Amino acid sequence: MEIRPITARETFPVRHPVLRKGRPMEECRFSGDDLGTTFHLGAFDQDQLVGVATFLMNKDIHIPEIAELKIHQCYQLRGMAVLEQYQGKNIGKRLLKKALEELKDKQIKVLWFNARAGAVSFYEAQGYQITGEIFEVPGIGPHLKMFKKL
Ligand SMILES: CC(C)(COP(=O)(O)OP(=O)(O)OC[C@H]1O[C@@H](n2cnc3c(N)ncnc32)[C@H](O)[C@@H]1OP(=O)(O)O)[C@@H](O)C(=O)NCCC(=O)NCCS
């Protein structure tokens, strides 16, 4: 298993079946995907891309625990996905670990995200904490804000 940088477009074959199943491919595009400050990581089994995650410079003003930070010190995780048949094989864990190394190199102070309720325990096991109340993302389902200070 190798983890290496990929482009936004390369994430779509994993984002689509895992996060936007049955929806138009266009919904796999995220705002900020192609910004210079954004990076995408892919996990490869041989030559097959099996897991993806996207990291964008962004601050959430609704997280009181990071109120003192500047936007350039904050990154958001989006589009974290592992192909169904590869889930539970530590690929998600390794994607996050690799990202944290890169973020620390960039002097980033916090990684935050809106976690699907079903994935909260996965992130908690990796040391991320919940902040605020559960909320609904229309068409996708219940979410919780989570973060980790680096
Ligand atoms: C959530 C997801 C990214 C995790 O990736 P993964 O490669 O399956 O997870 P890992 O194998 O690295 O799991 C690491 C640990 O978390 C546990 N875990 C994984 N997914 C879990 C979940 N949804 N709930 C609770 N625990 C979970 C694993 O059992 C493992 O535990 P262990 O270290 O005790 O063995 C992946 O399952 C996925 O793509 N799910 C569907 C899409 C999704 O929900 N994405 C997140 C959007 S916020």
Side-chain angles (χ1 to χ4, degrees):
M1 188 66 56
E2 190 197 350
I3 298 192
R4 60 173 188 260
I6 55 173
T7 64
R9 189 66 189 75
E10 284 177 291
T11 66
F12 289 13
V14 178
R15 280 185 187 172
H16 192 248
V18 181
L19 299 172
R20 296 290 185 273
K21 197 171 184 171
R23 313 270 285 261
M25 188 61 87
E26 194 49 36
E27 286 190 25
C28 289
R29 192 178 303 283
F30 298 156
S31 163
D33 254 354
D34 295 318
L35 291 176
T37 47
T38 298
F39 67 95
H40 311 269
L41 294 180
F44 290 83
D45 178 29
Q46 313 286 356
D47 280 340
Q48 195 198 346
L49 181 65
V50 299
V52 298
T54 293
F55 302 86
L56 307 105
M57 186 181 284
N58 195 12
K59 180 176 167 177
D60 189 323
I61 56 164
H62 302 295
I63 301 181
E65 292 92 338
I66 65 169
E68 79 284 5
L69 297 176
K70 309 276 183 226
I71 183 172
H72 66 268
Q73 298 175 306
C74 304
Y75 262 71
Q76 177 183 7
L77 164 63
R78 290 203 68 189
M80 173 93 193
V82 174
L83 289 179
E84 197 173 342
Q85 62 272 34
Y86 284 86
Q87 290 175 8
K89 297 179 190 293
N90 282 336
I91 296 169
K93 200 170 171 172
R94 290 185 55 191
L95 277 166
L96 283 183
K97 190 164 175 280
K98 177 80 175 169
L100 248 50
E101 289 167 13
E102 298 220 3
L103 292 168
K104 282 181 185 167
D105 282 352
K106 293 177 193 288
Q107 316 291 324
I108 299 307
K109 301 295 182 207
V110 72
L111 179 62
W112 69 271
F113 47 91
N114 297 321
R116 291 180 179 212
V120 165
S121 309
F122 161 73
Y123 293 117
E124 281 182 323
Q126 310 311 315
Y128 293 82
Q129 68 183 86
I130 295 170
T131 178
E133 302 300 321
I134 198 157
F135 62 97
E136 193 73 15
V137 174
I140 302 190
H143 282 68
L144 278 156
K145 285 192 188 299
M146 299 188 77
F147 71 98
K148 184 195 251 183
K149 289 198 174 178
L150 312 184

